[in-house]
Coordinates of all heavy atoms in Angstrom, one line a residue:
Chain Z
F698 N -27.6 0.4 -15.9 CA -27.6 -0.4 -14.7 C -29.0 -0.8 -14.5 O -29.9 -0.1 -14.0 CB -27.2 0.5 -13.5 CG -25.7 0.9 -13.5 CD1 -25.4 2.2 -13.8 CD2 -24.7 0.0 -13.3 CE1 -24.1 2.6 -13.8 CE2 -23.4 0.3 -13.4 CZ -23.1 1.7 -13.6
V701 N -31.8 1.7 -15.2 CA -31.3 3.0 -15.2 C -30.3 3.2 -16.4 O -29.2 2.6 -16.3 CB -30.7 3.4 -13.9 CG1 -30.3 4.9 -13.9 CG2 -31.6 3.1 -12.7
V702 N -30.6 4.0 -17.4 CA -29.7 4.2 -18.4 C -28.9 5.4 -18.1 O -29.4 6.5 -18.1 CB -30.4 4.4 -19.8 CG1 -29.4 4.6 -20.9 CG2 -31.3 3.2 -20.1
V703 N -27.6 5.2 -17.8 CA -26.8 6.4 -17.4 C -26.1 7.0 -18.6 O -25.7 8.2 -18.6 CB -25.7 6.0 -16.3 CG1 -26.4 5.6 -15.0 CG2 -24.8 4.9 -16.8
G721 N -25.8 19.7 -16.4 CA -27.0 18.8 -16.4 C -27.5 18.6 -15.0 O -26.8 18.8 -14.1
P722 N -28.8 18.4 -14.9 CA -29.4 18.2 -13.6 C -28.9 17.0 -12.8 O -28.2 16.2 -13.4 CB -30.9 18.0 -13.9 CG -31.0 17.6 -15.3 CD -29.8 18.2 -16.0
N723 N -29.2 17.0 -11.5 CA -28.7 15.9 -10.7 C -29.2 14.5 -11.3 O -30.4 14.4 -11.7 CB -29.2 16.0 -9.3 CG -28.6 17.2 -8.6 OD1 -29.3 18.1 -8.2 ND2 -27.3 17.1 -8.4
G724 N -28.3 13.6 -11.4 CA -28.7 12.3 -11.9 C -28.7 12.2 -13.4 O -29.1 11.2 -13.9
A725 N -28.2 13.2 -14.0 CA -28.2 13.2 -15.5 C -27.2 12.2 -16.1 O -27.4 11.8 -17.2 CB -27.9 14.6 -16.0
G726 N -26.2 11.8 -15.3 CA -25.2 10.9 -15.8 C -23.9 11.5 -16.0 O -23.0 10.9 -16.7
K727 N -23.6 12.6 -15.4 CA -22.3 13.3 -15.7 C -21.2 12.5 -15.0 O -20.2 12.3 -15.7 CB -22.4 14.7 -15.1 CG -23.6 15.6 -15.6 CD -23.6 17.0 -15.0 CE -23.9 17.0 -13.5 NZ -25.2 16.5 -13.0
S728 N -21.4 12.2 -13.7 CA -20.3 11.4 -13.1 C -20.1 10.1 -13.7 O -19.0 9.5 -13.9 CB -20.6 11.3 -11.6 OG -20.6 12.5 -11.0
S729 N -21.2 9.5 -14.2 CA -21.2 8.2 -14.8 C -20.4 8.3 -16.1 O -19.6 7.4 -16.5 CB -22.6 7.6 -15.1 OG -23.3 7.5 -13.9
F730 N -20.6 9.4 -16.8 CA -19.8 9.6 -18.1 C -18.3 9.6 -17.8 O -17.5 9.0 -18.5 CB -20.3 10.9 -18.7 CG -19.6 11.3 -20.0 CD1 -19.7 10.4 -21.1 CD2 -19.0 12.5 -20.2 CE1 -19.0 10.7 -22.3 CE2 -18.4 12.8 -21.4 CZ -18.4 11.9 -22.4
R732 N -16.9 8.2 -15.3 CA -16.5 6.8 -14.9 C -16.3 5.9 -16.1 O -15.4 5.1 -16.2 CB -17.4 6.2 -13.9 CG -17.1 6.7 -12.5 CD -17.8 5.8 -11.4 NE -19.2 6.2 -11.3 CZ -19.5 7.2 -10.4 NH1 -18.6 7.8 -9.7 NH2 -20.8 7.6 -10.3
H738 N -16.4 1.9 -15.3 CA -17.5 1.1 -15.8 C -17.2 0.7 -17.2 O -16.6 1.4 -18.0 CB -18.8 2.0 -16.0 CG -19.3 2.5 -14.7 ND1 -19.2 1.8 -13.5 CD2 -20.0 3.7 -14.4 CE1 -19.8 2.5 -12.5 NE2 -20.3 3.7 -13.0
Q770 N -15.8 14.0 -7.7 CA -16.8 14.8 -7.0 C -16.6 14.8 -5.5 O -16.6 15.9 -4.9 CB -18.2 14.2 -7.3 CG -19.3 15.1 -6.9 CD -20.6 14.7 -7.6 OE1 -20.7 13.8 -8.4 NE2 -21.7 15.3 -7.2
D845 N -14.8 16.8 -11.7 CA -16.2 16.6 -11.3 C -16.5 17.6 -10.2 O -16.2 17.4 -9.0 CB -16.4 15.1 -10.9 CG -17.9 14.8 -11.1 OD1 -18.7 15.7 -11.2 OD2 -18.2 13.6 -11.0
E846 N -17.2 18.6 -10.5 CA -17.6 19.7 -9.6 C -16.5 20.2 -8.7 O -16.5 20.0 -7.5 CB -18.8 19.1 -8.7 CG -19.9 18.6 -9.6 CD -21.2 18.5 -8.8 OE1 -21.3 19.1 -7.7 OE2 -22.2 17.9 -9.4
V876 N -17.3 19.1 -14.9 CA -18.7 19.1 -14.6 C -18.9 20.2 -13.6 O -18.2 20.4 -12.6 CB -19.1 17.8 -13.9 CG1 -20.5 17.9 -13.3 CG2 -19.0 16.7 -14.9
H878 N -22.0 23.1 -11.7 CA -23.4 23.6 -11.5 C -23.4 25.1 -11.5 O -24.4 25.7 -11.9 CB -23.9 23.1 -10.2 CG -24.4 21.6 -10.2 ND1 -25.4 21.2 -11.0 CD2 -23.9 20.5 -9.6 CE1 -25.6 19.9 -10.8 NE2 -24.7 19.5 -10.0
L893 N -26.1 17.5 -20.5 CA -26.4 16.1 -20.4 C -27.7 16.0 -19.7 O -28.0 16.7 -18.7 CB -25.3 15.4 -19.7 CG -25.0 13.9 -20.0 CD1 -24.6 13.9 -21.5 CD2 -23.9 13.4 -19.1
Ligands
ATP3027 N1 -23.3 1.9 -10.2 C1 -24.5 2.3 -10.3 N2 -25.6 1.4 -10.2 C2 -26.8 1.8 -10.4 N3 -27.2 3.0 -10.7 C3 -26.2 4.0 -10.8 C4 -24.9 3.6 -10.6 N4 -24.1 4.8 -10.8 C5 -25.0 5.7 -11.0 N5 -26.3 5.3 -11.0 C6 -27.5 6.0 -11.3 O1 -27.3 6.7 -12.6 C7 -27.8 8.0 -12.5 C8 -26.8 9.0 -12.9 O2 -25.8 9.2 -11.8 P1 -24.6 10.1 -11.9 O3 -23.9 10.1 -10.6 O4 -23.8 9.9 -13.1 O5 -25.3 11.5 -12.1 P2 -24.7 13.0 -12.0 O6 -25.1 13.7 -13.3 O7 -23.3 13.0 -11.8 O8 -25.5 13.6 -10.8 P3 -25.0 14.7 -9.7 O9 -25.2 16.1 -10.4 O10 -25.9 14.5 -8.6 O11 -23.6 14.4 -9.4 C9 -28.4 8.2 -11.2 O12 -29.8 8.0 -11.2 C10 -27.7 7.2 -10.3 O13 -28.5 6.8 -9.3

Side-chain angles (χ1 to χ4, degrees):
Chain Z
F698 292 107
V701 187
V702 181
V703 295
N723 292 116
K727 306 178 296 293
S728 297
S729 301
F730 181 56
R732 277 195 279 274
H738 296 327
Q770 189 165 354
D845 200 345
E846 307 202 10
V876 168
H878 281 295
L893 212 59

